[in-house]
């Protein structure tokens, strides 16, 4: 698929030194459209959506805010810590959004695994389906988010009543 001029501009803004010192793509040399399409296919295979992943990230972040920078027990199986810093970052997608610098660490106590993400991650996943380039210092794998955060899967649609069961 051909990349749009808007995505080409976003990809230029994702290079090291433009918005952040290390950029958003790492050593990934694919066009942004290819990165987005590959992650979209992966999220579909995981039977969820970018929106559900981002909503779960926000839900746990918001519950962790009560800890005031300390780990807060959430839902009996998570510990969540939220740290805020001064300043804001623009979205590289030029959607005229400034995102506060806030880091969230979620520990899944049952799995003994954790993931760290920022509010910019949440925005880029929710509105653009972007998890950063493969090999990027701050890429978060969709599989890790789904597993560690226990993101809800898409519900299967029941067959209509007139459909013979098991056929």
């Amino acid at each position: 698929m051909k990349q749009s001029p808007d995505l080409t501009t976003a990809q230029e803004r994702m290079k090291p030194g433009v918005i952040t010192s290390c950029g958003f793509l790492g050593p990934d040399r694919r066009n942004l459209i290819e990165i987005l399409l590959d992650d979209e296919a992966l999220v579909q295979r995981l039977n969820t959506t970018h929106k559900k992943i981002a909503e779960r990230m926000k839900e746990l972040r918001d519950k962790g805010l009560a800890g005031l920078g300390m780990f807060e027990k959430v839902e009996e199986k998570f510990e969540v810590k939220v740290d805020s810093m001064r300043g804001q970052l623009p979205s590289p997608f030029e959607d005229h959004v400034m995102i506060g610098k806030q880091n969230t660490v979620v520990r899944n106590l049952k799995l003994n695994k954790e993931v760290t993400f920022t509010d910019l991650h949440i925005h880029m996943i929710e509105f653009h389906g972007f998890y950063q380039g493969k090999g990027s210092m701050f890429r978060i794998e969709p599989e890790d988010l789904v597993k560690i955060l226990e993101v809800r899967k898409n519900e299967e649609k029941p067959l209509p009543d007139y459909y013979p069961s098991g056929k």
Side-chain angles (χ1 to χ4, degrees), residues 68-82:
L68 302 171
M70 304 294 286
F71 278 99
E72 177 78 8
K73 186 90 169 206
V74 174
E75 298 175 14
E76 295 303 312
K77 56 185 144 189
F78 297 103
E79 289 180 340
V80 182
K81 179 175 80 166
V82 181

Side-chain angles (χ1 to χ4, degrees), residues 88-104:
Q88 297 181 325
L89 291 172
S91 168
F93 289 91
E94 286 196 322
D95 42 8
H96 307 290
V97 176
M98 295 296 289
I99 310 292
K101 291 182 178 181
Q102 192 161 257
N103 293 332
T104 302

Side-chain angles (χ1 to χ4, degrees), residues 56 60-61 64 69-83 104-117 144-145 147-150:
R56 184 64 170 152
L60 289 169
R61 177 207 57 204
M70 304 294 286
F71 278 99
E72 177 78 8
K73 186 90 169 206
V74 174
E75 298 175 14
E76 295 303 312
K77 56 185 144 189
F78 297 103
E79 289 180 340
V80 182
K81 179 175 80 166
V82 181
D83 289 316
T104 302
V105 179
V106 177
R107 290 181 182 155
N108 184 316
L109 301 173
K110 185 173 76 177
L111 298 176
N112 196 29
K113 294 188 179 218
E114 73 178 36
V115 64
T116 302
F117 55 86
D144 292 341
L145 287 168
K147 187 173 185 176
I148 295 169
L149 304 182
E150 298 184 4

Side-chain angles (χ1 to χ4, degrees), residues 14 20 27 30 40 42 68 71 87 104 109 132 167:
M14 291 178 184
T20 64
R30 296 174 294 162
E40 174 63 30
L42 175 57
L68 302 171
F71 278 99
T104 302
L109 301 173
Q132 301 201 30
K167 307 266 184 194

